[in-house]
Amino acid sequence: MRAIWLLPPMLFALTSCGGKAAPAAGDTKVQAPAAGGLTPFQQENGIGPVTDPVTIAATPDHEMAEEGEDVFEHKCGMCHKMGEKYVGPALGEVTRRRTPAYIMNMILNPQEMVERHPVAKQLLAEHMSFMPNQGLTREEARQVVEYLRTQAK
């Protein structure tokens, strides 16, 4: 009981001693965290399994979009509409506001997104409903992005 005064200094020492190794010289893949502990890529593209920009064609892939529409109807449509706020935000123009990687990370990693990403935090505050993880695969999330591209005017 007498040593309880040692607890705060010990906790400080334990939490401040760790850390990540410095990146190797010339390592261009590593990005320094920006404000809020997010890298510039994460600020623009969200936090999650999609860690590189998603390459998309100039026009939507209609076969992939058809698959995405089916996924959307079964997993997303109960909370999202295209032209109006429902439970969640309207998604008809989301591909004009967000990158494909951001949309995919929001689909695949909604918990961490609303905990750490400023835009996702703001959306949660505005809509007062948490987006559940629907268990989509990365491929299904990509298909939903293609479907959403077909909905943008």
Side-chain angles (χ1 to χ4, degrees):
M1 188 70 166
R2 277 185 243 149
I4 199 159
W5 63 272
L6 289 173
L7 189 57
M10 287 174 42
L11 286 174
F12 176 77
L14 286 173
T15 59
S16 63
C17 289
K20 297 180 181 171
D27 189 354
T28 58
K29 182 88 170 154
V30 177
Q31 296 180 350
L38 302 181
T39 65
F41 179 86
Q42 290 172 326
Q43 287 284 346
E44 183 177 354
N45 298 286
I47 305 160
V50 182
T51 57
D52 291 310
V54 175
T55 304
I56 58 172
T59 59
D61 177 321
H62 290 288
E63 185 177 318
M64 190 183 288
E66 285 180 22
E67 296 290 329
E69 181 177 14
D70 187 53
V71 172
F72 185 90
E73 287 176 2
H74 288 93
K75 299 285 187 162
C76 313
M78 61 203 80
C79 293
H80 293 283
K81 304 299 176 203
M82 291 301 151
E84 64 184 291
K85 177 199 180 303
Y86 196 57
V87 175
L91 295 181
E93 298 291 320
V94 70
T95 57
R96 297 192 188 279
R97 296 187 307 271
R98 308 281 182 257
T99 67
Y102 180 96
I103 296 166
M104 290 175 67
N105 280 327
M106 191 67 200
I107 292 169
L108 299 170
N109 192 30
Q111 178 74 38
E112 189 174 10
M113 286 287 287
V114 298
E115 289 174 356
R116 297 186 51 214
H117 197 278
V119 173
K121 285 180 183 181
Q122 179 183 355
L123 288 170
L124 176 61
E126 288 174 13
H127 297 279
M128 299 300 291
S129 65
F130 177 77
M131 182 169 145
N133 189 328
Q134 295 291 324
L136 272 64
T137 65
R138 186 179 172 129
E139 182 179 349
E140 290 170 323
R142 180 65 182 86
Q143 292 167 345
V144 169
V145 168
E146 265 329 274
Y147 170 62
L148 293 171
R149 290 180 65 206
T150 67
Q151 300 303 299
K153 296 184 176 26

